Amino acid sequence: MNSSLNFNSLIKKMFLKVDWESVIQHVASVVFQLVLLTIVLLLINWVGKKIIRHIFKTGLRKSKRGISPKKLDTIYTLVLNVFKYILMFFWIYALLSAIGIPVGTLIAGAGIFSLAIGLGAQGFVSDMVNGFFILLEQQISVGDLIQVNNIEGEVTYVGIRTTQVKSFDGTLNYIPNRNITIVSNLSRNNMRALMEIPVSSDSPFDKITQTIDEVNDNLNLKELQITQKPYIFGFSNLNDGTLSIQVACYTIPGAQYNAKNVLLEKYLNALKEAGINLPK
């Protein structure tokens, strides 16, 4: 009982010895500094984004330097990303300093590399390095159709850490830059659309060829975004033992899928109207 009373009295004495006025003032000072710093950084963030947006959306687009819009969009997103990370770094640094954590001493004592390893930043550094070379070598740009690993779609964002690719079904894929090793860019050259028309070995090939040529002569190449007129590429054997006539054409990037569907439908309808029976 006496020990319990002694302990309670000790706690009360310690509580009374604390200069609560100084503590409250210190806490209020820290909170005020953080609020003021946050407001300043938010203001810098707002003004900085306005300036960056004006430079890329107005200034550089109207310049005569011949920079492609896709490349400008890619660099624009990267600059915004770098700007955001710089502001975040200063905010965290100021937060730790206001609390009383000696960040500078901590970095100097632990070493930059050992601190990076301790924070698990090896992957982050790898993302940055790989992302830098992706942009330097102009492997991809915002708006390009690419295939990375098993993911195919349109590039919507290229950042320091990740690249975002929107699949054709609407799925948004976040790919760490360190995982981008082999990139198939489908937007840099004209793309081939290949149509396969199944035929029998005893089919009237001359009449089939004539019908296909008539369809090709009446095509609106501009509407289908075809850059090279369709032509008969050759024959191929199907798994069931029948043959197929291959018709190929070249389109602008991304238009090959629509051109293939439209042309194949036109060929099949024209052959049907010509009275040519095709194997099912």
Side-chain angles (χ1 to χ4, degrees):
M1 186 71 176
N2 293 331
S3 60
S4 177
L5 292 174
N6 292 333
F7 179 76
N8 292 334
S9 61
L10 179 62
I11 294 297
K12 290 180 179 179
K13 289 180 180 179
M14 293 177 60
F15 184 82
L16 293 174
K17 287 183 178 180
V18 175
D19 190 354
W20 291 106
E21 184 177 353
S22 300
V23 172
I24 294 173
Q25 289 179 354
H26 177 71
V27 171
S29 176
V30 171
V31 171
F32 176 77
Q33 292 178 26
L34 292 179
V35 171
L36 181 62
L37 175 68
T38 302
I39 294 174
V40 171
L41 288 180
L42 288 175
L43 181 61
I44 294 175
N45 179 60
W46 182 77
V47 174
K49 285 184 177 179
K50 285 281 187 181
I51 295 174
I52 294 172
R53 188 177 296 109
H54 176 76
I55 292 174
F56 282 91
K57 299 297 183 181
T58 306
L60 291 179
R61 288 189 186 276
K62 293 183 179 180
S63 66
K64 299 180 180 179
R65 298 181 181 180
I67 305 176
S68 65
K70 288 185 177 180
K71 187 175 181 180
L72 278 177
D73 290 337
T74 304
I75 300 174
Y76 170 68
T77 55
L78 179 64
V79 171
L80 280 181
N81 208 355
V82 172
F83 181 68
K84 179 183 70 175
Y85 277 103
I86 290 175
L87 290 181
M88 188 180 300
F89 169 79
F90 279 111
W91 188 83
I92 294 175
Y93 184 93
L95 172 64
L96 296 176
S97 299
I99 294 175
I101 300 176
V103 182
T105 306
L106 180 64
I107 294 177
I112 296 177
F113 292 105
S114 59
L115 180 63
I117 294 174
L119 296 176
Q122 289 176 313
F124 178 76
V125 174
S126 179
D127 287 334
M128 289 185 60
V129 172
N130 203 33
F132 171 78
F133 282 107
I134 287 174
L135 293 171
L136 181 65
E137 298 170 359
Q138 300 182 18
Q139 298 178 17
I140 58 177
S141 300
V142 173
D144 284 352
L145 294 176
I146 68 169
Q147 181 174 354
V148 179
N149 302 329
N150 295 323
I151 299 173
E152 183 175 346
E154 179 183 355
V155 179
T156 58
Y157 177 81
V158 180
I160 295 179
R161 293 188 58 252
T162 60
T163 296
Q164 297 178 17
V165 178
K166 185 178 181 180
S167 301
F168 298 114
D169 61 357
T171 303
L172 187 59
N173 305 279
Y174 295 84
I175 307 173
N177 289 334
R178 63 180 178 274
N179 293 339
I180 301 177
T181 54
I182 300 177
V183 181
S184 299
N185 196 318
L186 310 178
S187 297
R188 297 297 168 86
N189 297 309
N190 291 333
M191 303 302 296
R192 188 181 73 170
L194 184 65
M195 288 67 66
E196 292 190 334
I197 304 172
V199 295
S200 302
S201 57
D202 57 349
S203 298
F205 292 105
D206 292 340
K207 189 174 182 180
I208 292 175
T209 301
Q210 180 182 357
T211 303
I212 292 175
D213 289 338
E214 289 176 356
V215 173
N216 293 338
D217 291 337
N218 295 320
L219 289 175
N220 188 339
L221 301 182
K222 186 176 181 181
E223 181 181 351
L224 294 173
Q225 297 179 310
I226 295 176
T227 58
Q228 183 177 339
K229 186 178 178 180
Y231 61 96
I232 296 178
F233 183 74
F235 293 86
S236 67
N237 293 318
L238 300 180
N239 295 331
D240 57 0
T242 60
L243 299 175
S244 70
I245 296 179
Q246 294 179 326
V247 183
C249 71
Y250 285 87
T251 71
I252 66 172
Q256 66 269 25
Y257 307 105
N258 179 62
K260 179 179 179 179
N261 295 332
V262 172
L263 290 178
L264 187 58
E265 182 181 1
K266 288 181 178 293
Y267 294 144
L268 294 178
N269 290 334
L271 292 172
K272 184 178 180 180
E273 291 176 0
I276 301 173
N277 295 322
L278 300 177
K280 297 182 180 178

